[in-house]
Structure formats: C-alpha cells, structure tokens
Amino acid sequence: MLRTDLAGVIQRSDYTPPAYLIDTVQLDFDLAPDVTTVTSRLRVHRNPAGPGGDLELVGQGLQLVSLEIDGKPWSGYRTGDEMLTVEAPPQAFELMLVTRCRPQENTSLMGLYVSGGNFFTQCEAEGFRKITYFLDRPDVMATYTVTLRADREAYPVLLANGNLIDKGDLPDGRHFAVWDDPFKKPSYLFALVAGRLVCREDRIVAGDGREKLLQVWVQPQDLDKTEHAMHSLINSIRWDEERFGRVLDLDRFMIVAVSDFNMGAMENKGLNIFNTKYVLADAATATDDDFSNIEAVVGHEYFHNWTGNRVTCRDWFQLSLKEGLTVFRDQEFSADMMGSESGRAVKRIDDVRVLRQAQFPEDAGPMAHPVRPESYVEINNFYTVTVYEKGAEVVRMYQTLLGRDGFRRGMDLYFERHDGQAVTCDDFRAAMADANQRDLTQFGRWYSQAGTPRVTVDAVYDEAARTYTLTLTQRCPKVGVELQDETLVKQPFHIPFAVGLLDRDGRDMALRLAGEASDTSGTAASTTRVLDFTQERQSFTFVDVPHTPMPSLLRGFSAPVIVEHEYTIDELAFLMAHDSDPFNRWEAGQRLATRQLLALVESIQMGQLPSVDSYVLEAFRQVLRDETLDPAFRAQALTLPAESYLGEQMTEIDPAAIHAARQYLRQRLAASLHTEWLAAYHNHRVPGPYQPDAASAGERALKNLALSYLMELSDAGAAQTARTQYDSADNMTDRFAALTALVQRGGAAREGDAAHGPNHAAEALVDFYQRFENEPLAIDKWFALQAMQRGDGSHCVIDAVRALMRHPAFTLKNPNRARSLIFSFCSGNPAQFHAADGSGYRFWAEQVLALDALNPQVAARLARVLDRWRKYTPALRERMRDALQQVAQHKALSKDVREIVEKALA
Ligand code: B3K
Ligand code: ZN
C-alpha cells in the first residue's frame, strides 16, 4: 500500500462497480444566465454486479428543488457533502429531479457556463455533477434525450448531442429544441450549446454509404476562418475509414468554437466543443503551426468518437486507454497528412521533442506517475503529458512490436469485444495480445511503472568471427510516489529497440542475428531490426558483419527511453551525415549540440571564456547547405535543444548559465554561417499566395529560422530585413516571425538609441496591436511574445509582464489570455522567470492564488511550473520552496492546487 499524507486520495485498487445503473436520461433545460433550471428523469435499476445499498448521486453547487420517484414525491433522501442519497429505492424506478444552477457565476468553466453571452458545457472529467445530481462516473452509460428551452432572440441556436428530433416556438419569446443521442454514453460526454452562432456546413457520404451533415459553429465574425477546420474534419473522417475501418456513426457531426475554455477541445458525442485556438484560422491571423495544430486537434477529437466514446474508460485511472491511444492516432494522422517520408520524420521529431521537454521532466519529478496512475486527489491534475504523450508512445510500441497489420488486428478485436463498454488498459492489451497470439504480460509494466528507463549500450566487434554484439542494459530508478513504497521493486520493461548498422561508407548493412537462416527474405534481410529487449541485461549478436559497423540506436525513437551511449564526436558527425533513419540523423545533431552547450554552460559557470568547437559549426554548416534535405527537416536539425531540455541534462539546473550558453552558441552559429543563413533566407521565400501545406510551411520555417539567426548579430541590415518582412508579409507566419525576430534582438544589439536608428521592435509591437485589436488569438500571441522576450541587465521582463497585466485587453478570467501572458513568462522564459532575486517566484505565487479563486484547473497547471524545484541550484531552490510554502499555507486552496504544491513539497 502506498503511503500518502494527502487528504481525499482516490486509489485505483478501490474500484467497485456502481450500485445502480441508469438506462435512459431525459434532461430539460430552462436556460437563463442567472438561474438555469434542470429537470432530469432517469430510468434507474439496481446493478446486479454492484454492492447494493442506497442510491448515492453526486452534485456540486446545485439547489435541489424537488425529487420524485415513479411520479410521486419521495421524502426518503438526504443531501450533504456534494451528495444526494436516495434511501432504499425500489429495484427499478424512474427518478425525477429538479435542480437549479448559476451559469453566469461559473468561472471554473466546468459544468454549464456562459462565454461571450452564449451557453456552453464542459463535463469531462467530473463537470456533469455541476449540472444535475448523477452517477457521474464513466462506467455508467445511458442514452440521452435533451430538451433545451431559451429566449429565441438571445439564443437562436440550441445544440446538444446526437440528432435534432423536434423544435419550435414557445410563449413569451422563447423557443425549444429536442435532441436525441442514440448511442449510450457516460455523462462526461454530455454537451449543450446555446447562443448566437453561425455555421459552415458540408455534407459527405461516409463509408457506410450514408450522407452525413458536418457543421462548424462559431461567432458570426469568425465564419470566414472555418474552412481549414472543416477540411481537417473531412480528412479525419476519411483517414479513420482508411486506416482503421472506423466509420462516422452519427448522421450529424458538429464542432463548436468557444473562446473561454480550459483546454484544447472536448470530444462530446457528436458535438465537439473547441477552444477557438484550435478552430479559427486564416492566412492573416494564424501561423503554420496554428494550421497544423488545428488539423491535429480536429483529428484527435474526431478519433475519440471510436477510441473514447464508443469504447470508453471504466474509471479515470484508465484515462490513457482513450488519451494515449487517441494521441497516437492523431500523430499518425498528421504524419500521413504531411505527404512525404521526410514530412513524417519531421512530425516524429516534433512529437519526440515535446515528450523530452515536458514528459521526461514530469517523469523525474514529484508528480511522476505511471501511464495508468495508482492514485489521485483531483483527476483533472492527471490529464498529463505522461497519460497523453507517453501513453501514445506505449501504443506506438504495440505497433512497432506487432507491425501495422498486427496492430490493426488488435484494434479490430478491441472494437469487436468492447463496443459500447467501459473498459480498462488491460482489456486493450489483451486484445492486442490475443489478436496476434503474443504474450504481452511483461509489456504491461509500461502501464504500472513510472519513470524513464535508461538504456546503456556496449558494442563488441569480433573480427575473426565476423560478429557484432550489442549488449543492452536497462535501469529505471524509483520516482515520484514510488519512492514512498518500500516494498516496490521495479522490473525490466519490454522495450522494442530498433537498430541499424552502417558500413564504413555510411550505408545500411543487411542484418542477420545469430541463429537466423541466411537466405531469408523479409525481416532478416532488412536493415532496421527491432530487438525484443526484455531483460535487465541482454546481448544481441549480428553475424556476417564484414567490418566494425557504426550502430544507429533506437531508430525512429522506438521506445520512450534515454539511450546513454558515449558516441565520439566523429561518430556523431558520421551519423548526422549518413544515417538512413532521418530521426537519428536529427538525433545525432542534437547530441552534438547538447554536448557543446553543456560544455559552454560549464565554462560560463566557472567564469572562463567560452569557446565553440569548429566541428559543431561545420556539422551545422553541412546540414544548412545540404539541398537534398527537406527545408523542414533542416529547420528541425538547426534548432538547438531547448533550455528546459538542457536543464534536465544537468545535475543542478542553472537557468542563467544555460540561457547564456545557448545564446552564445546561437551567436557563433549566426556569425560563422552568416553567408549560408543569408542564402537560406533568400532562397526559401515562398512565391504566390499563402498556402498552409507542409512543403510551403517547411520553406517558411527554414527562412524564418535563418532570419532569427541573422538577427543575433548586431547588424542594422538584418533589422531592416525583418522590418520589411514584418510590413510586407501576407500571412501571420511571416509577420509574426519577423516581429519575434525584432523583439528577441536583445542585449548588445538592442536598438532605439542614436547608434542604432529606429526602434523597430517597439514600432512593430504597436502596429501589431492596432492591426489585430479585434482578433483575440492574435492578441494572445502579442502578449506571449512580450512575456517570452529576452532581458538584459537593465531590462527585466517581469516589469514588462506586470505592466501588461494592467493592459485593458488583459484578463485572468480568459484562460487563453492568462496562459499567453502568465504561463508564457513562468514556463516559456526560464532565464527571466528564475531571476536570482526570486521576483519570478513571488509573481508565480500571486498568480496561482489569484487564478485559484477563479479557476482551479488553470491555477493547478500554473502551480506545476515549480515541480522541479529540487533540481535547481541551491539559492534558487530555497526561494522556490518559499514560494511553494506561501501557496501551500493559503487557507482557501482548491484541491487541484493543494495536490500539486503538497506533492512538490513532500
Ligand atoms: N478529453 C478532453 C480533455 C478533458 C480534460 C478535462 N480536464 C480533451 C481531449 O483529450 O481530447
Ligand atoms: Zn483526448
């Protein structure tokens, strides 16, 4: 048993089936912003597999008006502690509840709330209980019929899940709509929307031969920004038919955009609700990244229709069952949409970057948890990069182990067995194993053990025997809550370890493992081999190896592990130039840069003059010049590892030194590759009107990276180039890249004095605001950029951030805006946030508390910024602990924030 001092811990091992089940739900809403009245009629019966007893429904912030059973008032009930207990009800009955809630006052953005004068809901994970008393848990699945009544003038559009079956007018200027969802669903997938909205519509004939109505609903001024979302939706529908044989089951599928939203989007059955950030796009206001994020999120939510909705989670510990799987599916979808092999690699690199920058630190800190957590206090705190991104890597490993066809067989069996059910991660693994007659018992440890395994590699070439032996060793020390469990002994993981061997010319060798026949077609002849690495220490011997090969390890990042291998510089340069696996080509460059950067950090810390080895500059020059490589790939390869990633590679994180080192290397790369950067800038301009496709986006990425390097030099010409690009751009990607380049030109090159001429950065910032004053998503970028700007001796960014908080366009209540300024500063500007005087931490504490009073979920996300405090240099560590304690001592803390700060301090 795990020991924990936190109050209100929910344990996975405590799962019991519900005492009652609900077959049908009939909900009537009388919508009004101040007080909304909800009438709920439930057909309930005792669950033969449940523990029996009273019916216990949960509810939060509700006023109970009346309760009836089978049409008669029922007095045998009690309320209290967010619970409604119906005492000794019959075996099967109809329960009618009338309750009231207050949408206008709801700043948590969970349950029913008002945004921009319209009504929206968010129920996952536990928001439905803010709408009515219910068995608000995912293993209670029912069919829903929903009637919405509201003022016709103020709320002309009334939407809910499923199909519209009736609508009409009511007295007193009101009207109604009735929606019926034929599919059984858990309460977290319920949704309604009411308000003044317009939609883009399309119709497609789906794989089942039926015509489907597709709609994207937005505020009237945004209608012209919905084309890309609709296009992405259609691509998603087609892709799921093609790749997984999954057809859209409803006759109608709707996406609605809302500007006040806690996260990215929500997969409510047939009525997805999205943050505007992941719907609205046009050339003028959205960047290439925005376009591709929209495609990914539209895909993600659409794919949930099968992986999440048709088959859902038994309990919230199984969250990765739907999230890891659906992230994997959206990653594969986006990769397929890239349209080229090299595009797929770029997408893979992006995904791995996120995993390493965000998930690896999580997996080494106080919040470390397995993909299937063992316990939680607030489930919203477990929508983590571990559950999502590492969960996706776990699903990817099934595909790597079983092959694409084997994985598809597993998916088919999973749907065949579990359609309409609420199931567990073990059920998914069983389907994969059974469909392929594979034993995946050991693989299950990926769900139960936390931490990032480290793999070391020893290689021996035997010239006489012509064999090459790789000996792999894995270890994964305890992390997070595992540290409190003395009895826990971690066991080796089943790691699919993909390798290739390069000959001395850099070509792939044909691979044959000892014991395999020599003349086989198929696997033995292939040049990448997935090793089944299952023991703590295990050797793999390749035969017929003519000379010492160069190993290409963990190709395509085949498992979420850290490979600790001391490559020499020559080896890295060789892999960077020759590896046929594009991921590992990129990886070799990142290793080279990381090594150089860590050496620079050390010199800076010791007060020595930093120096950059010429091989690093030359390796980068090669990549930049290599016209056979796609521009998008080159942009990835020439982007230095992030400051947060570098910090994780150190024993003690020193943000100032890391920032100085990275800046120093950027300046050296700028100066020594100046000619090449200039050429890249000019050669990769994209002619013609803006198109967000992957190839043009890649050209822009390389061109704008070149601009950012050129701007590292104190050269008035570069500033003029950026200013011209800013002024003349016909798209947001180029305009914002130019603005960023101008604003980031800090330190010695700061302009605005007599020697440097006009202050382009300040002028462009003013222009940008005026240009996009009525485009909230563009204004978010404007805040974020200023929060992430570099500082220098006389220029503390925190002062700018505090000033921006007083800007009339700033509000803490809108999560996008809060994230754009506060989160960008606290987690996107490490060198400034971790200022030695602790000013960043005091700001953090203030903002966590201010946000917590409004929106605990968003506050808890911000709270996590100090997670890794123990890993920082002693002086910073002390100040971070003070700030954490200050928050922890606050009296009225939400359980969301309490869980985070208490775990951090434990
Ligand atoms: N399932 C939702 C996330 C809900 C988060 C609740 N705190 C979005 C998604 O993953 O698709
Ligand atoms: Zn999801």
Side-chain angles (χ1 to χ4, degrees), residues 110 122-126 188-189 261-267 297 300-301 304 316 319 322-323 326-327 378-381 383 388 857 861:
M110 289 295 286
Q122 170 58 35
C123 292
E124 188 179 359
E126 299 179 330
Y188 83 84
L189 291 174
F261 205 63
N262 283 345
M263 63 268 170
M266 178 62 212
E267 69 263 25
V297 178
H300 181 97
E301 306 311 331
H304 266 315
W316 292 119
L319 183 57
K322 73 177 178 79
E323 295 305 347
T326 305
V327 171
E378 169 52 62
I379 185 57
N380 283 320
N381 286 334
Y383 286 74
Y388 276 64
Q857 231 179 100
R861 291 279 151 162

Side-chain angles (χ1 to χ4, degrees), residues 262-565:
N262 283 345
M263 63 268 170
M266 178 62 212
E267 69 263 25
N268 317 299
K269 184 78 187 186
L271 180 60
N272 288 185
I273 298 182
F274 272 59
N275 189 321
T276 44
K277 183 173 165 60
Y278 297 109
V279 176
L280 306 180
D282 63 11
T285 57
T287 61
D288 291 332
D289 284 344
D290 294 324
F291 276 88
S292 68
N293 289 336
I294 289 169
E295 179 180 79
V297 178
V298 168
H300 181 97
E301 306 311 331
Y302 176 74
F303 303 142
H304 266 315
N305 190 50
W306 279 94
T307 50
N309 301 4
R310 289 287 286 255
V311 184
T312 194
C313 302
R314 186 194 69 173
D315 55 74
W316 292 119
F317 295 102
Q318 318 298 328
L319 183 57
S320 199
L321 171 79
K322 73 177 178 79
E323 295 305 347
L325 177 54
T326 305
V327 171
F328 169 74
R329 276 152 54 71
D330 85 54
Q331 289 177 347
E332 288 289 277
F333 165 63
S334 294
D336 285 345
M337 294 296 118
M338 297 292 282
S340 70
E341 267 316 299
S342 145
R344 292 189 72 86
V346 167
K347 168 68 180 153
R348 184 71 186 130
I349 290 165
D350 262 330
D351 294 338
V352 174
R353 242 190 233 280
V354 170
L355 190 81
R356 284 182 175 158
Q357 271 168 39
Q359 199 277 327
F360 282 17
E362 174 167 281
D363 226 348
M367 269 290 286
H369 54 277
V371 164
R372 183 191 57 209
E374 291 299 337
S375 65
Y376 61 77
V377 173
E378 169 52 62
I379 185 57
N380 283 320
N381 286 334
F382 283 80
Y383 286 74
T384 58
V385 274
T386 298
V387 165
Y388 276 64
E389 267 68 28
K390 186 177 181 179
E393 293 299 321
V394 171
V395 174
R396 182 176 297 276
M397 287 191 284
Y398 286 110
Q399 181 173 270
T400 305
L401 288 167
L402 305 171
R404 262 203 197 198
D405 294 343
F407 183 74
R408 170 67 194 268
R409 280 194 295 278
M411 289 288 280
D412 289 349
L413 184 60
Y414 173 66
F415 293 123
E416 195 184 308
R417 283 182 177 170
H418 301 300
D419 189 9
Q421 299 175 6
V423 303
T424 65
C425 298
D426 286 335
D427 293 319
F428 183 78
R429 185 161 52 91
M432 286 292 153
D434 296 348
N436 293 281
Q437 289 97 47
R438 280 282 286 263
D439 182 353
L440 294 173
T441 315
Q442 185 183 354
F443 190 83
R445 291 179 192 152
W446 283 110
Y447 292 98
S448 59
Q449 301 187 139
T452 310
R454 288 172 185 267
V455 177
T456 51
V457 183
D458 280 310
V460 176
Y461 180 66
D462 182 334
E463 204 173 335
R466 289 164 55 92
T467 60
Y468 183 70
T469 301
L470 287 175
T471 301
L472 307 180
T473 311
Q474 54 168 306
R475 70 193 160 87
C476 187
K478 289 188 199 177
V479 283
V481 286
E482 289 177 346
L483 292 163
Q484 296 172 357
D485 185 356
E486 280 146 29
T487 58
L488 177 80
V489 181
K490 291 177 85 173
Q491 303 287 339
F493 291 89
H494 183 170
I495 298 174
F497 198 89
V499 293
L501 302 180
L502 275 59
D503 70 15
R504 43 170 91 93
D505 300 322
R507 281 190 302 256
D508 275 326
M509 291 178 167
L511 302 182
R512 191 153 69 88
L513 282 165
E516 284 176 348
S518 58
D519 62 335
T520 46
S521 50
T523 53
S526 73
T527 56
T528 295
R529 181 60 60 90
V530 179
L531 305 174
D532 262 292
F533 174 31
T534 56
Q535 297 156 27
E536 207 172 294
R537 187 178 169 83
Q538 200 171 348
S539 294
F540 300 88
T541 299
F542 294 92
V543 296
D544 278 345
V545 182
H547 57 259
T548 312
M550 170 67 59
S552 167
L553 304 169
L554 202 74
R555 280 190 160 170
F557 197 73
S558 62
V561 302
I562 295 169
V563 177
E564 292 179 331
H565 185 62

